[in-house]
Amino acid sequence: MQRLGAGLARGTGWFALLVVGVLAVVAILGFVLRPAGTTPPVMSDSLGPESGEAVASYTERAAETLVGEPGDPGSAGAERWALVSLDEVLTASEASAIADFAGIRRISQVEIYAPVADVAMPVLPAAVAAPGPDDAGQSGPLGRAVLSGVTNSQYMLDHPEAGVAAAGTADGGGTPSAGDARMQAQVDYTAGEALAGRRVVAGFIARAGDEALATLARQPGVRAVEALPADAVWGRFAVRPLLPEQRVAATPLPDTGEVPAPAPRVPAR
C-alpha cells in the first residue's frame, strides 16, 4: 500500500511538471507569435504648435488640417477633435458664444489660463461635460468646467496624498506640484480670476464636422483651429496650447516677474 502511494505521488509529480512545461511552451509561443497589433498603443497624435515653431507656420499648418482631401477620413463628414486657439483670453460666456455661433455641439476640454506680465503662468485643462437639458448652448458646461478646474487644481496642491491627477497639458506645460510655493501662488491667482468671472479661457478642444470647424475658424477672436484625423481617439493625443502672448514663436514665456497676491482660497468641496 505504501509502495502504491509512493508511486501515485511520483506520478502526480511528473504530471505536474509536464503541465508546467506545456504552459511554459504555450506562453513562449504566444509571445513569439503574438500579432503586431497587440503592442501597447503609442500616443503619436498631437495638437498645438511644436516647441519653438513659428506661429505663422503653425497657423498655416492648422488651417491645412481643415481642408478635406480624397481618402482623408475627415473629408467624409465625420466629426473630428480640434484644438481652438483664441486671440486673447475670454470669459466662459464669450468663448461659448463663439462655439455656439459655429454650431459646435460638443466641447470636451477647456484650457484655463490667466496671463500675468513676465510670469510663465500654468495652463490648467479641465474636462467639459456635454450640455444638459437645461443648458442653452455651451455657456453652462464651459463655465462649470472652469470653476471645477481651478478648485480641483487647488485641492490637488493641498492634498497630494489624495492622488488627484495633476492639472496641466499633456506636454508638461504647467503642472502644479506639491510644495512649489510659486506654483501655488500662480494657481491661486488663476482661481481668483476664474471665480471672479474674469477672462481665463485661452482655448478649448471641440469635436465637430469639417463644416462647423471651418466656420469656427472664421469667427472673430479665433486665432487657429487645428483638427486631428477622424480616427484619432480621445485620451490618445497630446495637447500643447498656443498662448495669446506667443506671437512670433511657440517659445517659453519669461518668468522673472512677481506673481500677484493670491486670491482668497476657495474651501475644498
Side-chain angles (χ1 to χ4, degrees):
M1 193 68 178
Q2 291 178 345
R3 287 195 299 272
L4 177 60
L8 289 174
R10 286 193 299 272
T12 302
W14 282 110
F15 180 78
L17 290 175
L18 179 62
V19 170
V20 171
V22 170
L23 291 176
V25 171
V26 170
I28 293 172
L29 288 176
F31 178 82
V32 174
L33 301 177
R34 74 187 188 283
T38 60
T39 54
V42 178
M43 188 181 292
S44 57
D45 289 323
S46 64
L47 288 169
E50 299 286 345
S51 178
E53 182 177 7
V55 171
S57 174
Y58 169 68
T59 56
E60 181 180 352
R61 178 166 64 83
E64 292 174 353
T65 66
L66 304 181
V67 180
E69 297 179 357
D72 180 1
S75 64
E79 293 189 336
R80 299 195 280 165
W81 300 110
L83 172 64
V84 181
S85 301
L86 302 173
D87 277 320
E88 59 181 351
V89 287
L90 301 177
T91 66
S93 295
E94 291 170 339
S96 63
I98 291 175
D100 290 337
F101 184 84
I104 303 298
R105 295 191 299 272
R106 185 72 177 96
I107 295 177
S108 295
Q109 181 171 296
V110 60
E111 308 297 336
I112 307 167
Y113 175 70
V116 174
D118 296 324
V119 178
M121 295 293 287
V123 179
L124 309 178
V128 180
D134 297 329
D135 290 317
Q138 297 291 338
S139 181
L142 203 62
R144 291 191 292 271
V146 167
L147 298 184
S148 65
V150 294
T151 54
N152 287 344
S153 295
Q154 288 182 313
Y155 183 87
M156 187 276 294
L157 281 169
D158 285 342
H159 303 82
E161 74 285 353
V164 180
T169 66
D171 199 37
T175 301
S177 58
D180 188 332
R182 185 173 177 84
M183 181 63 75
Q184 180 82 65
Q186 291 172 340
V187 172
D188 281 348
Y189 176 80
T190 302
E193 294 295 286
L195 295 170
R198 299 192 181 99
R199 295 179 167 182
V200 294
V201 176
F204 54 87
I205 296 178
R207 182 168 177 81
D210 289 346
E211 183 176 351
L213 292 177
T215 301
L216 182 60
R218 294 192 295 268
Q219 298 310 302
V222 174
R223 194 174 182 191
V225 177
E226 180 191 5
L228 288 173
D231 59 356
V233 179
W234 178 257
R236 301 284 183 86
F237 54 85
V239 179
R240 296 180 295 267
L242 176 64
L243 302 179
E245 299 97 321
Q246 293 173 323
R247 291 294 168 181
V248 178
T251 53
L253 299 179
D255 195 26
T256 57
E258 293 187 6
V259 180
R265 294 305 301 272
V266 179
R269 293 178 298 170

